[in-house]
Amino acid sequence: MKNKKQHKNSSKTIDTLLIENRKFKPKDSFKKQANVRNADIYKTARKNPVKFWEKMASELVWKKKWEKGLIWKAPDARWFDGGKLNVTESCLDQHITNGNRNKAALIWEGEPGDKRTFTYYDIYRDVNKFANALKSLGVKKGDRVAIYLPMIPEIMISMLACARIGAIHSVVFGGFSPESLKDRINDSQVKLLITADGGYRKGQVIPLKHDADVALADCPSIEHVVVVNRGGFLLRFKEGRDHWYHELLEKADSFCKPTYMDSEDPLFILYTSGTTGKPKGIMHTCGGYLTGVYATTKYVFDLKNDDVFWCTADCGWVTGHSYIVYGPMANGATQVMYEGTPNYPDKNRFWKIVEEHGVSVFYTAPTAIRTFMYWGREYPDGCDLSSLRLLGTVGEPINPEAWIWYNEVIGHKNCPIVDTWWQTETGHILITPLPGLTTTKPGSATFAFPGIEAAILDENGNEIKNGGGFLAIKTPWPGMLRGIWGDRERYVETYWTKWKDIYFPGDGAKIDSEKYLWILGRVDDVINISGHRISTMEVESALVEHESVTEAAVVGSPHKIKGECMVAFVTTLKSKKSESELAKILTDFVSHKIGAIARPEKIIFTPDLPKTRSGKIMRRLLKDIASGKVLGDTTTLADPNVLSKIKSKYED
Ligand code: 7RM
């Protein structure tokens, strides 16, 4: 741990990363007990990655063993081809007979303070019953089921119940607007929706069923709606279409024979933002995905039988799919799930939960860590965090200052930190330390997981051995996306055209002289706000839908807590409203169209936008303004005067 230099400017992640050279070795006490203790794992996996993954797959429950580990015809992979399985047998059935039957699978806390604990048998029983209920409502293998629920145990049960019968789930984050829910339902022709009367957030009830009803006015493919009774909030029911979850469960048989799937059959769709206004339905399959999440959960989080794992993500994001539902359950873990916000009723809520349930492995996002830093260390300091033994981060680059704080204030310098890089598309962690082996550097996700080949390439596909470029994944991996729902062309175009047969994740990165990887952030029109991917195009198209807006350009700007935030530059029709009134109207409008997470932080009204002579908006220059940078090349502007006007307006 040389060089104790303090980094004051935490927002300048990229600059800070350049001078970061502190190192943290795993402690002997951790190394001795780690699930991976021998660095040969990297060598063995590199020699024969498919064999490495086959070994991991063989630890899962298969109905029929695969014939071929991998068939790769870029950009299409078939993992464990010919194999048959139902993922719920690995996640549930095996635990009913292997000694985990009465083990706590899920320790849940609602935001108001209500608590429920489910053993593996409890989850198994409810999943079986709900799977039967879904069948009785006509859901068949391959049908799509949307899930629009708060973070309550039923979200996990619903996902697993779909998997039990081979239905494809599409979880839509509860914070998304009715419009967003509608688009996702219609894009994949969803047959049944699972929602709740409401859920708690920040002490308030989020009226999910009400919002779902708004969406469903325009969703002709929906036949049935199942409603979980979360809080007894008064509701309108549509006769014949709407059903109570608890009533269905009461009537259902307690065993549902699993539907056996081909390894390559779809398991779920999850929508994520891309560079256009339309979200992409990322498709994942059964055998490869489960193998990837199982292996990474076991080796990255070092899970042991008596660990208490808490991943703070929402199941509406891929992190909740992989590291709440499928990875931990396949490992037979005990987990904590929490419904609400970290500051309800007070800013110590997370640390109270850690203390009360003895959380030992904790996985959260850098934006949350920066928020905790900002609130002050008295909140964690007031709680007993001695049960923690491993910490993780995901979602965005972590600035070294936040990393050090996490290590000292939460980990008491006693917990390795795993900074894990991956995407909705990758399905599972691809770049990460192995906690018992890797010497970490704050801000670096370190090295590719065994069996993964990552590199930094330039525009032409030449490898960069020391310095910056684009992150690339050179060989297929089991949890990789198999496509975008209904859009083959976009799949090929987005991920597989930059270089030949090499996956392009859309992130900039650098590699240092010791081969450590440093992920720097998106290089496309996607920005990362609090670990959530938001397409600037999506927000632009929402803005121009408003009657008063003629043009809009949205760019990312550095933000102390959120990592990035959105700044919208808009031109409007003449209006009697003041700019602040209009700004409020427009932020509410975006929130209504997409969801509160997509709200612009700032709206700048300008009579004109900077354009090239051919009429293209030069977002790059707006980004420079919004980041307080020196303006880049302005020679191609049609009217250079526009910029100074916008600039002075921005700095107001
Ligand atoms: C899991 C998840 C993916 C994008 C990805 C990156 C960024 C994620 C890290 C990270 C730096 C990390 N899926 N990202 N993890 N950047 N270090 N450890 O977040 O599909 O929602 O987002 O997030 O830009 O491309 S995601």
Side-chain angles (χ1 to χ4, degrees):
M1 220 196 298
K2 309 170 258 172
N3 183 8
K4 285 266 171 63
K5 201 185 260 169
Q6 281 303 305
H7 304 288
K8 283 276 176 313
N9 197 344
S10 63
S11 63
K12 286 195 180 155
T13 307
I14 295 180
D15 296 347
T16 312
L17 291 179
L18 295 174
I19 53 164
E20 184 56 52
N21 54 16
R22 285 169 286 193
K23 286 186 185 176
F24 293 81
K25 276 205 184 108
K27 292 214 164 73
D28 285 339
S29 54
F30 192 96
K31 279 164 90 166
K32 262 196 278 180
Q33 60 80 62
N35 287 350
V36 189
R37 293 170 222 183
N38 190 338
D40 286 350
I41 191 171
Y42 286 106
K43 248 192 268 158
T44 325
R46 189 169 311 117
K47 237 187 250 155
N48 192 341
V50 177
K51 195 169 158 201
F52 168 78
W53 290 114
E54 285 187 281
K55 160 90 189 21
M56 297 313 305
S58 70
E59 293 178 21
L60 297 167
V61 182
W62 292 81
K63 181 69 183 169
K64 176 176 172 277
K65 208 192 152 180
W66 57 93
E67 282 143 27
K68 205 143 175 25
L70 169 67
I71 299 173
W72 174 231
K73 263 175 63 196
D76 299 297
R78 294 184 66 82
W79 280 92
F80 313 115
D81 192 61
K84 279 194 179 289
L85 78 165
N86 182 288
V87 301
T88 66
E89 288 196 311
S90 293
C91 294
L92 299 171
D93 300 56
Q94 67 162 330
H95 304 305
I96 304 312
T97 51
N98 69 2
N100 283 340
R101 182 186 172 95
N102 296 316
K103 180 180 175 175
L106 196 60
I107 300 166
W108 176 81
E109 275 197 25
E111 194 184 70
D114 41 344
K115 289 176 192 157
R116 294 159 78 191
T117 298
F118 289 75
T119 63
Y120 268 92
Y121 190 74
D122 290 331
I123 304 263
Y124 169 80
R125 183 199 52 228
D126 285 6
V127 165
N128 273 276
K129 287 187 167 191
F130 193 35
N132 278 327
L134 291 174
K135 267 185 167 171
S136 74
L137 294 173
V139 179
K140 298 197 173 58
K141 178 177 170 181
D143 285 346
R144 275 78 59 209
V145 172
I147 300 175
Y148 188 56
L149 284 174
M151 277 300 278
I152 54 178
E154 288 79 3
I155 195 165
M156 174 190 275
I157 294 166
S158 299
M159 291 163 74
L160 291 168
C162 289
R164 187 83 174 168
I165 60 172
I168 304 169
H169 59 68
S170 166
V171 184
V172 179
F173 173 56
F176 275 128
S177 67
E179 286 253 349
S180 299
L181 174 63
K182 180 192 81 185
D183 292 344
R184 285 159 175 76
I185 287 176
N186 290 338
D187 184 69
S188 48
Q189 295 292 291
V190 170
K191 207 164 165 183
L192 183 142
L193 171 70
I194 305 165
T195 185
D197 53 349
Y200 288 94
R201 246 191 127 67
K202 296 184 194 161
Q204 310 242 304
V205 177
I206 309 290
L208 287 164
K209 170 64 162 66
H210 171 270
D211 287 356
D213 278 336
V214 173
L216 294 186
D218 215 357
C219 296
S221 60
I222 291 283
E223 293 171 9
H224 292 283
V225 178
V226 178
V227 186
V228 178
N229 182 8
R230 163 72 186 102
F233 315 118
L234 219 58
L235 284 177
R236 212 173 291 164
F237 251 58
K238 193 167 163 186
E239 205 57 49
R241 186 196 71 178
D242 297 354
H243 314 265
W244 282 115
Y245 171 87
H246 60 274
E247 288 178 2
L248 292 172
L249 245 60
E250 258 165 45
K251 285 187 286 193
D253 277 349
S254 52
F255 178 73
C256 173
K257 199 176 159 301
T259 299
Y260 292 107
M261 311 287 283
D262 285 333
S263 178
E264 280 297 326
D265 277 340
L267 176 61
F268 66 84
I269 304 172
L270 183 61
Y271 286 85
T272 190
S273 292
T275 54
T276 73
K278 189 174 180 279
K280 306 178 280 201
I282 303 298
M283 296 199 288
H284 283 287
T285 56
C286 297
Y289 173 80
L290 193 69
T291 302
V293 298
Y294 165 76
T296 47
T297 303
K298 181 170 171 177
Y299 289 164
V300 176
F301 299 115
D302 194 49
L303 284 189
K304 303 291 190 307
N305 193 39
D306 58 354
D307 269 315
V308 178
F309 180 58
W310 184 18
C311 163
T312 68
D314 191 289
C315 285
W317 311 112
V318 73
T319 307
H321 284 61
S322 302
Y323 299 107
I324 295 178
V325 180
Y326 294 106
M329 297 301 279
N331 276 278
T334 294
Q335 303 190 70
V336 165
M337 182 191 272
Y338 170 58
E339 178 186 31
T341 46
N343 53 349
Y344 188 86
D346 206 350
K347 298 190 180 81
N348 62 1
R349 183 64 184 270
F350 271 26
W351 318 121
K352 285 255 192 223
I353 292 175
V354 169
E355 173 180 293
E356 173 162 350
H357 303 294
V359 171
S360 55
V361 180
F362 180 74
Y363 190 35
T364 198
T367 183
I369 299 167
R370 287 192 295 268
T371 305
F372 300 136
M373 272 175 83
Y374 173 75
W375 286 344
R377 67 175 295 159
E378 57 270 30
Y379 298 100
D381 281 353
C383 296
D384 178 4
L385 304 182
S386 58
S387 58
L388 291 171
R389 66 177 198 91
L390 173 61
L391 302 172
T393 75
V394 61
E396 53 181 316
I398 183 164
N399 47 308
E401 192 187 356
W403 195 104
I404 297 291
W405 188 90
Y406 199 30
N407 178 46
E408 290 177 2
V409 179
I410 306 303
H412 297 144
K413 300 190 183 172
N414 214 12
C415 304
I417 296 179
V418 288
D419 173 351
T420 63
W421 178 90
W422 59 295
Q423 306 177 293
T424 305
E425 292 88 339
T426 70
H428 51 85
I429 294 167
L430 296 192
I431 302 177
T432 177
L434 289 180
L437 284 179
T438 313
T439 295
T440 53
K441 297 186 188 182
S444 168
T446 72
F447 310 113
F449 188 80
I452 303 296
E453 209 190 315
I456 310 297
L457 303 182
D458 70 11
E459 200 69 59
N460 303 318
N462 301 311
E463 184 155 349
I464 288 157
K465 299 282 187 194
N466 189 353
F470 302 103
L471 181 63
I473 310 297
K474 294 175 77 177
T475 51
W477 64 98
M480 65 193 284
L481 78 164
R482 300 300 197 273
I484 296 173
W485 182 266
D487 203 341
R488 172 74 187 178
E489 212 176 301
R490 195 172 177 197
Y491 169 66
V492 176
E493 163 68 30
T494 310
Y495 308 108
W496 302 99
T497 47
K498 192 170 190 75
W499 310 295
K500 186 170 162 29
D501 301 350
I502 292 176
Y503 176 79
F504 172 54
D507 280 349
K510 67 165 210 155
I511 185 162
D512 70 17
S513 57
E514 294 172 307
K515 302 270 165 261
Y516 280 72
L517 298 168
W518 304 76
I519 317 297
L520 304 173
R522 305 290 308 178
V523 294
D524 51 21
D525 290 332
V526 175
I527 59 178
N528 195 324
I529 300 178
S530 304
H532 300 312
R533 277 164 63 171
I534 298 167
S535 149
T536 54
M537 284 290 296
E538 210 176 328
V539 178
E540 286 177 9
S541 31
L543 281 168
V544 295
E545 268 184 59
H546 193 271
E547 58 195 14
S548 65
V549 176
T550 46
E551 274 190 309
V554 174
V555 298
S557 161
H559 187 281
K560 236 182 134 56
I561 305 267
K562 300 178 184 176
E564 274 186 292
C565 69
M566 251 183 308
V567 179
F569 296 85
V570 297
T571 59
T572 57
L573 298 171
K574 275 216 171 61
S575 164
K576 290 199 191 73
K577 297 200 172 65
S578 72
E579 286 193 354
S580 66
E581 278 172 313
L582 204 50
K584 167 132 191 8
I585 291 171
L586 293 179
T587 37
D588 288 350
F589 187 71
V590 172
S591 188
H592 161 80
K593 283 266 158 203
I594 307 173
I597 44 166
R599 254 200 171 100
E601 184 84 11
K602 224 178 185 177
I603 296 191
I604 311 293
F605 295 96
T606 159
D608 213 344
L609 290 169
K611 288 187 188 153
T612 61
R613 272 171 282 257
S614 65
K616 285 207 178 72
I617 300 173
M618 293 185 72
R619 291 181 180 74
R620 173 171 62 75
L621 295 173
L622 293 171
K623 200 170 159 61
D624 290 344
I625 293 176
S627 316
K629 282 197 200 139
V630 181
L631 289 180
D633 182 15
T634 58
T635 52
T636 52
L637 273 178
D639 175 8
N641 293 321
V642 177
L643 270 184
S644 54
K645 277 188 217 149
I646 300 178
K647 207 162 181 248
S648 66
K649 196 97 200 257
Y650 183 82
E651 281 154 9
D652 254 6

